[in-house]
Amino acid sequence: MSSRRDFLQQLTIGIGVAALSPAAASATIANVKKSEKQLRVALMGLGGYANMVAKAIKDCKRVVLTGIVTGTPGKIPEWQPAYGIPDKNVYSYDTLYQIADNPDIDLVYITTPNSLHYQHVLQVAAAGKHVICEKPLADNAQQAREMIAACKKAGVKFYVGYRLHFEPHTRELIRMRKAGEFGRIMCVNNYMGFKIGDPTQWRLKKALAGGGAMMDVGVYALNGARYATGEEPLWVTAQETKTDTVKFAEVDETVTFQLGFPSGAIASCGTTYNFNNYERLYLIGDKGFAELSPAFSYGPTRGRTHLGAMNQPIVNHQTVQMDGLADCILNGTPDPGMTGEEGLKDMLVIDAVYESIRRNGEKIYLNKKGTV
Ligand code: NDP
């Protein structure tokens, strides 16, 4: 796709009058403009997760989907009428820079493969739009630092899609930990994994995925260890197990890793692409405990503590995330742990996990500045 004109020409050829009618498009935009308190979002990379986020946005109070960025023109005829997106808000990766001139879009939500996050965040920041980037934030901590710097320079907000920070059970666990209800945190056991299917998918290609299970879902166990303790690890050890060297030739299959925190708390975590039913957050303090299971997938999230079953509401994770982040951006409410800096903190530990694996499980120390 060489230009936006080509893109829209191809769109017209492809779908003819089936595209969104001008009346429907202008009605949608007019509705958006009526409310100054709505965050206008474009989704970039219209795959599985973007579909889920788009559907969730329909139930948002403070968010409206106004644009799309895609490299696949064939997806446009479905997306435009489904979400009332006018031609002028449809972009390709090549025309993304033109989003700078579009007042109907405040934020771009990046849901492309992991190793494209870096370049896409830099492009969106250069266009002067706020960014939510999916996890894992980048291929490594250095990229994450550059992404944060680019967003700061451009004066745009930068978030990572850590949806659990708006999930009620997770928030209650964090509230209880901060209130001292578990006492001193002694130990955390977190794991998250699944058996991956299609051996040809991008998640198994290092150039697009950056890494394997650790990057994709191990980051939940890691992020969970950080919010369960409220601390940054001082050291990391890690081990990799590979049972299928063909399927997992390029990326990690199963990783176990351990973290040591300044208070003396320890975390023992795992992740895999090789088996199912591997998902739990377990926190043990000297006055109590908490267990979330499921803890990291879309749920419904369930939990219990030393006080009994948790009775938090079951929510759509993406809807509460989007409404919550819109509140942060539009009304300045405090961010619950989804800034680019939070993504960087996890990338620093992921770098250390891979470093430890390369060094046969050696203990890797993270210094006070948070560098490996
Ligand atoms: P998909 O493969 O389903 O979608 C990725 C989309 O990215 C594609 O459909 C495509 O959209 C676009 N794309 C651009 N370049 C490429 C390329 N070279 N190869 C493949 N796709 C490309 O992936 P997911 O939606 O499952 O994952 C996307 C991101 O979201 C990942 O970073 C993942 O970790 C994250 N994610 C987060 C979840 C969460 O709960 N927070 C859950 C699932 C995923 P187009 O054709 O429109 O260009």
Side-chain angles (χ1 to χ4, degrees):
M1 193 68 45
S2 59
S3 70
R4 176 164 165 74
R5 186 185 297 156
D6 290 350
F7 194 105
L8 291 174
Q9 271 173 357
Q10 191 160 339
L11 165 71
T12 312
I13 293 162
I15 61 176
V17 292
L20 182 70
S21 76
S26 64
T28 307
I29 295 299
N31 289 341
V32 171
K33 282 181 181 162
K34 261 188 227 163
S35 168
E36 286 177 18
K37 288 288 185 186
Q38 273 191 311
L39 185 74
R40 292 145 326 157
V41 171
L43 279 169
M44 177 172 181
L46 307 181
Y49 199 58
N51 270 280
M52 192 170 276
V53 172
K55 288 189 181 94
I57 286 176
K58 283 191 164 181
D59 293 326
C60 283
K61 293 190 186 78
R62 286 185 281 266
V63 185
V64 61
L65 182 62
T66 54
I68 48 174
V69 184
T70 179
T72 311
K75 292 179 182 174
I76 298 166
E78 277 179 37
W79 278 76
Q80 276 198 299
Y83 298 102
I85 294 163
D87 288 354
K88 65 187 271 302
N89 292 0
V90 176
Y91 294 87
S92 71
Y93 300 109
D94 293 337
T95 62
L96 175 64
Y97 69 95
Q98 294 173 355
I99 222 164
D101 303 321
N102 192 331
D104 295 334
I105 294 167
D106 304 311
L107 178 145
V108 178
Y109 193 151
I110 298 169
T111 55
T112 51
N114 308 344
S115 297
L116 304 178
H117 293 173
Y118 171 72
Q119 70 191 67
H120 288 156
V121 167
L122 297 193
Q123 286 169 323
V124 173
K129 302 295 179 183
H130 301 306
V131 193
I132 304 173
C133 178
E134 256 317 312
K135 42 58 53 179
L137 192 55
D139 283 352
N140 52 56
Q142 184 50 35
Q143 284 187 352
R145 279 197 197 90
E146 290 173 30
M147 293 152 87
I148 291 167
C151 290
K152 272 205 181 112
K153 192 172 164 208
V156 299
K157 307 256 188 198
F158 180 29
Y159 296 103
V160 57
Y162 288 156
R163 58 186 157 72
L164 293 160
H165 290 262
F166 283 104
E167 193 285 313
H169 298 75
T170 307
R171 286 169 80 97
E172 173 62 4
L173 179 142
I174 294 169
R175 186 202 65 73
M176 289 178 73
R177 187 258 298 155
K178 285 183 177 167
E181 293 181 30
F182 303 119
R184 182 177 158 203
I185 306 301
M186 310 301 290
C187 177
V188 174
N189 279 176
N190 293 350
Y191 35 91
M192 174 61 169
F194 66 102
K195 188 168 179 67
I196 199 162
D198 179 9
T200 65
Q201 64 185 285
W202 65 259
R203 280 183 166 79
L204 299 174
K205 296 185 169 66
K206 186 159 172 46
L208 281 171
M214 184 64 218
M215 279 278 187
D216 188 11
V217 286
V219 69
Y220 287 110
L222 163 58
N223 192 251
R226 291 183 45 246
Y227 60 70
T229 58
E231 297 186 79
E232 301 306 323
L234 286 176
W235 57 259
V236 178
T237 50
Q239 310 77 33
E240 184 190 359
T241 305
K242 205 179 288 255
T243 62
D244 186 339
T245 54
V246 177
K247 188 168 183 180
F248 302 106
E250 295 187 28
V251 300
D252 44 283
E253 173 190 311
T254 299
V255 172
T256 44
F257 58 99
Q258 303 77 38
L259 311 170
F261 294 91
S263 65
I266 47 166
S268 181
C269 303
T271 185
T272 188
Y273 267 164
N274 199 35
F275 44 88
N276 289 325
N277 304 310
Y278 194 51
E279 179 183 349
R280 184 182 187 224
L281 181 153
Y282 194 39
L283 171 167
I284 302 151
D286 63 3
K287 290 190 187 152
F289 71 90
E291 179 183 35
L292 300 184
S293 182
F296 306 115
S297 59
Y298 312 130
T301 312
R302 301 276 179 214
R304 67 186 180 107
T305 72
H306 54 287
L307 302 173
M310 295 176 85
N311 290 314
Q312 271 56 45
I314 302 298
V315 299
N316 177 295
H317 292 190
Q318 291 78 19
T319 301
V320 294
Q321 172 198 304
M322 293 309 291
D323 261 342
L325 285 181
D327 207 17
C328 297
I329 293 169
L330 300 171
N331 305 319
T333 55
D335 155 73
M338 296 179 66
T339 56
E341 281 81 1
E342 291 296 323
L344 168 61
K345 286 174 188 168
D346 286 331
M347 292 314 308
L348 286 162
V349 182
I350 290 177
D351 282 357
V353 163
Y354 285 128
E355 185 63 18
S356 177
I357 290 169
R358 268 192 295 274
R359 297 198 210 166
N360 291 318
E362 198 179 300
K363 202 178 224 183
I364 307 295
Y365 289 90
L366 293 123
N367 69 29
K368 283 188 184 145
K369 282 188 182 160
T371 50
V372 177

